[in-house]
Amino acid sequence: MCSRPDRIGRGGLRAAAILLALVVAALALPSGHAASFVRLALGVGALSHPGIAVDDIRLELDARSVAGALHIGRVRIAGREWRALEVRCGRVAVDAGALACAGASVHVAGRRLPLEVDLDSALGAGPLRVAMRLATGGRIDAHVDAEGGVRVQWRALRLVDAETIVGAWRADLVSAIRHYQPGGTLDGELQLITVAGESRLALSSRLSGAQFGSADGLLAGEGLDIGFALDARGAGRTWSWTASADWRAGAAYVHPLLIEAGAGLKAAGRADGGRIDVDEAQLSLDGVEEIIVRLVLDRERGVFETIVLEIAGADLARIGPRWLAPLLAPASAARLNFAGRADARLAWRDGRLDTAALTLDGAGFGLAAATGSAPGVPAELGDASVAEGEALARAIAQPRGDDLLALGPISGALAWSARQPGRATLQVAGGRWEKLTLGAFALDAELEARTLRLAYARVPLLDGALVFENLRLVRGDGGWEGRGGVVLEPVSMPLFTAALGLPRMAGVMSAALPGVRVTPGEIALDGALVVSVFDGWLQATGLRLREPFGVAAHLVAEVEARHIDLAQLTEAFSFGSISGHVDAEVRGLELLHWRPTAFDARIASIAGSERRRISQRAVQNLSALGGGGAVAAVQRSLLRLFDTFGYRELGLRCRLAVDVCEMGGLEGADGADGGFVIVRGGGVPALDVIGYNRRVDWNELVARLQRVVAGDVSVTIQ
């Protein structure tokens, strides 16, 4: 005997009860009638309930064994879909108006899931109970009452079981689950009640002892304890809801951010078919007074129509190291420190940033040259409150030998839009670059979608200033690029050398760089940096600075010096005394984090009839720099008799490569014994200074110079 499948409309779960009643009626026939059929099959086209839809239902019973099987072509719950679902029961029992099946197996697309099902249903409009037991000890209990209310509880569900269960109907997700290797347990409860056509859904769940990790290490979590709750009301496809989340323990790494427990979330919104609106989500986070998120999700297109993020009262000293540094400069995060307060508002449309606004109050930013915890910040201010922000910013701005850049306190506002021009107006109280102190200055820049224009800015530097003119930067796919002009107003060399800890030098330094070109990772300067010093001048051209604020800042330049007074130079560096003038050239100069790595340097006396004398100490020091220098034997006794000597010309060369300096002296004056003439004597008394070590370790040569300046070098006079 077989019934013809019919379609039952919105009878909901009561239709299921009718189907079961037909089955029970067949089983309850007298034995004679029961023997009139061997197999019974009943079919229903579809059953529906708010949020739940079941299609292509077929129930089969075997009269001889009273075994049964329920086949479902498709199940849809809250937008998710499963196909080819089958529940097989070894024996169906009917007793006192109830139907029961114990130890049933569940199959999806022909694959058996690692669980067993107990089914207990009253006939007609009575309740329905379903219990599912997982092989690993987890349990799911579902209850449907006579009015259609649904209650589902789950206990000790292990995330590791997700691969087995999910893989039965979504094989494409198995590889993703394996990739993250989830662990932990899930407990919770769901209730769904429908009264007068309106439904209410309440969900609460907690994830305990959870962990995950990707093979590449970019995503990981450990010891996670997170609670979640959802309360929704609605009818059909229109719902309003509230939700909350509480992160109690554990930490997660989402490259490049390390996120620790303590955050909380409260949200409210609406759902209408393919659209979800989050009217307001409040996120609690240490170091921020208020964080609010509003968004609209288009589920059909799979995109966020809008996202609005508002941040008020952010303590930069607390959130900077954890959130800002990894995002702004992942490679230098440990070298960045922050201070002060900030408010911000960001808005996205269709996945693209649309507007941005930022307000700073007493903010400070520092970049240290060496890694360490809170570089440049006194230990007692490491956990400064918002009220101490300005004090911390000023602490950051104090000169330190190991800091590369610091600015603050900074106050002002920035407004940017992808659709209309914006502006940035900032007041900077001061700062420093390396050991150079910067005075107070203002920045007033025009902002467009991908362009920044700075017409003029003057940054005081010692007793001069850096002036930026007509600077225009455009953000491309690879980073910022553009050009402008820079003028260095004259800076006193005595102040400059004192700030850098160098011997005092007279003169001034200035520059006119009309073409400053900025490309991702490099700043190139057209024009010349000129220093008036030692009665002559020094000029640097072809300046290029790569990774200016990176760990491996790299400077390239060509340097020439003309008419340098040796008397002033040697006096400034306590080298001894040499009179006369020299010219110098440094070709192919390369500095890696301000340390020379390559150059070809020459220094030579200027031809002429000026008086030229060299002191005994200067002879000794030049001899030491020459690497085992020597004075002709017939002249050595003169060192004991005279304090100064006449010379005709001098010259010295160093070609640096791979930490080795190839030494040389006067052009065309090399000796047959391999020596090179550094000083050629002339006048009365006269002597030659000769070097013999052609290859000198650069670090050793620098050490010799330091000893020379300190007065710790001498030669033995015999």
Side-chain angles (χ1 to χ4, degrees), residues 520-545:
E522 181 177 282
I523 300 175
L525 300 93
D526 297 335
L529 173 67
V530 179
V531 180
S532 173
V533 64
F534 301 135
D535 194 36
W537 53 269
L538 179 149
Q539 175 177 279
T541 57
L543 289 161
R544 297 201 313 276
L545 186 57

Side-chain angles (χ1 to χ4, degrees), residues 612-614 635 644-649 679-688:
R612 298 173 181 174
R613 304 290 294 180
I614 182 170
Q635 300 171 336
T644 64
F645 305 89
Y647 75 94
R648 185 169 53 181
E649 56 182 336
V679 176
R680 190 191 304 276
V684 178
L687 78 169
D688 296 336

Side-chain angles (χ1 to χ4, degrees), residues 13 49 52 142-145 148-152 190-194:
L13 294 172
H49 186 276
I52 302 175
H143 177 266
V144 181
D145 61 27
V150 179
R151 180 180 180 183
V152 182
L190 178 147
Q191 287 186 326
L192 177 62
I193 301 173
T194 301

Side-chain angles (χ1 to χ4, degrees), residues 241-296:
W241 55 268
T242 61
S244 63
D246 178 22
W247 186 354
R248 295 184 179 179
Y253 179 72
V254 182
H255 183 74
L257 300 175
L258 176 63
I259 310 171
E260 296 179 306
L265 175 69
K266 293 182 179 180
R270 295 162 288 116
D272 186 1
R275 175 187 171 104
I276 297 178
D277 292 70
V278 178
D279 298 329
E280 183 172 287
Q282 295 183 348
L283 177 65
S284 60
L285 188 68
D286 179 52
V288 184
E289 292 179 4
E290 185 177 63
I291 301 177
I292 294 177
V293 179
R294 300 181 180 89
L295 61 86
V296 176

